Amino acid sequence: MSAYLERYGEAMEAQLSFRRLEVFRLVVEERSVTRAAEVLMIAQPAVSAQLRALESWVGAPLFVRKGNRLVLTETGERTAAWAKEVLAGAAQIRRDVGDLASGETGRVIIASSMAVGTYLIPPVAAQLGHERPNADITVAVARPDEVVHGVETGEFDFGVLNWDGRDIPESMTSELLAVTRLGIFTTAALIAPGTTLSPTDAMALPFVGAPKDVVYQRNLVEQLRAAGLEEPRFTLRLGHSEAMIRAAAANDWAIIAPAYSVGSDARLHEVEVPELKLTERIVLLHRRDRLHSPLQRDAVDAIREALASTE
């Protein structure tokens, strides 16, 4: 047993370590075991032992002595160049991992539905990118079914989208982030600012809407029917919220939209319809078993905070 432990100890002694390479590099730079020991504040025999162990691992002498100087052999020169690269790589990976752990670097891919991904998520992502210029941040706009599939398969780290209550896989979970208000917006030429309309009169306005199969449009129609109202007359249907807003402003039409999408567009104002309450739910989707990186967690927290104040 003692013989085995002795051989095991010798084998362990011959193994390579970063510490051994660091000692060797210092001896190369100082051209002296004594000076290297002084810099390291350890005994000279300890430095010599590290060099002997490295030579045993390499299988050839690293130095020859010429007078009072240590001179690298050809093996020593090649080993010194290799050790420099290894130690530089080790230092870089420590920095990289440290940045990943702090959230300064890394990657996050956020999937979102059209309006949410156009108006709400980009400012949050932009602020995060400004604070962490070395991070890789992507916001992908997709249909809700594509978001669900992408989050489930890992293509997206998480999804933020307006929700229609659809079933999701058991491997995923949803979190309600905000319930935003939908309003009726139009130009002053169609309805004078300050005018109050009944729900029936409001639904008689010429509207720009989204395609029938879009989640936002389906949710809107369901709420109108639940309120006892017929679907309004949609003069035009467009596939992007920004196009809908521009069309309404340019043609004196009306649009039913979340206040965050219309924003400060001076061409449109909200029509007062006190008896009509329309909303949109925005949810966060992610896999239950997903371990988010610090950057991804920070992105989720920033989105939560931003949407908590969304009207």
Side-chain angles (χ1 to χ4, degrees):
M1 185 69 174
S2 60
Y4 167 78
L5 291 175
E6 185 176 340
R7 288 196 301 273
Y8 178 76
E10 291 173 354
M12 290 296 292
E13 180 64 22
Q15 287 183 357
L16 185 64
S17 69
F18 287 124
R19 175 63 172 171
R20 196 154 290 156
L21 292 180
E22 289 169 346
V23 170
F24 169 59
R25 285 289 305 163
L26 186 57
V27 172
V28 171
E29 292 171 2
E30 297 293 337
R31 295 289 181 177
S32 167
V33 172
T34 301
R35 285 197 293 273
E38 291 173 352
V39 172
L40 295 170
M41 294 187 291
I42 60 176
Q44 181 176 327
V47 175
S48 298
Q50 293 282 6
L51 294 179
R52 286 195 301 271
L54 182 57
E55 287 179 330
S56 176
W57 186 84
V58 172
L62 298 172
F63 295 97
V64 294
R65 184 170 291 281
K66 291 186 178 181
N68 294 327
R69 294 188 306 115
L70 285 178
V71 178
L72 285 169
T73 63
E74 183 178 357
T75 298
E77 289 177 352
R78 293 193 178 189
T79 304
W82 171 75
K84 183 178 181 180
E85 292 183 5
V86 170
L87 293 174
Q92 184 62 52
I93 195 64
R94 286 198 296 266
R95 288 193 296 271
D96 291 347
V97 170
D99 288 344
L100 281 171
S102 67
E104 292 301 315
T105 62
R107 184 206 71 177
V108 57
I109 301 179
I110 307 163
S112 188
S113 52
M114 183 66 71
V116 175
T118 298
Y119 301 103
L120 294 181
I121 304 303
V124 181
Q127 181 61 34
L128 197 63
H130 177 73
E131 296 170 353
R132 304 165 194 217
N134 295 321
D136 183 358
I137 303 169
T138 300
V139 178
V141 175
R143 293 166 58 93
D145 54 345
E146 295 171 337
V147 173
V148 172
H149 178 72
V151 172
E152 183 184 20
T153 60
E155 179 184 358
F156 306 129
D157 296 309
F158 56 89
V160 183
L161 67 166
N162 63 318
W163 196 236
D164 58 355
R166 70 179 62 198
D167 292 332
I168 58 175
E170 292 184 359
S171 61
M172 296 174 57
T173 185
S174 65
E175 172 191 337
L176 181 63
L177 296 178
V179 178
T180 62
R181 180 178 58 83
L182 300 181
I184 297 176
F185 297 86
T186 188
T187 62
L190 181 62
I191 297 293
T195 302
T196 299
L197 296 180
S198 68
T200 301
D201 289 340
M203 291 303 101
L205 297 173
F207 280 96
V208 181
K212 291 183 178 182
D213 62 341
V214 171
V215 168
Y216 162 79
Q217 192 70 16
R218 293 204 309 266
N219 285 344
L220 172 61
V221 171
E222 287 176 5
Q223 291 185 67
L224 291 175
R225 289 175 177 169
L229 298 170
E230 294 295 326
E231 182 177 353
R233 177 173 63 88
F234 290 103
T235 303
L236 179 66
R237 296 181 185 270
L238 296 172
H240 196 289
S241 52
E242 189 64 22
M244 293 163 59
I245 292 170
R246 291 180 181 181
N251 297 281
D252 295 325
W253 292 332
I255 182 175
I256 302 176
Y260 67 73
S261 67
V262 179
S264 58
D265 193 318
R267 298 170 298 176
L268 299 176
H269 67 90
E270 186 171 0
V271 178
E272 295 293 332
V273 187
E275 299 173 37
L276 184 60
K277 305 296 181 183
L278 302 173
T279 61
E280 173 187 73
R281 292 184 299 157
I282 302 175
V283 303
L284 168 73
L285 294 180
H286 61 86
R287 285 183 61 92
R288 296 181 186 274
D289 60 355
R290 180 80 183 213
L291 296 177
H292 286 139
S293 70
L295 174 64
Q296 292 161 1
R297 290 198 300 270
D298 289 347
V300 169
D301 290 342
I303 290 171
R304 283 193 183 109
E305 181 177 354
L307 265 63
S309 60
T310 300
E311 183 180 7

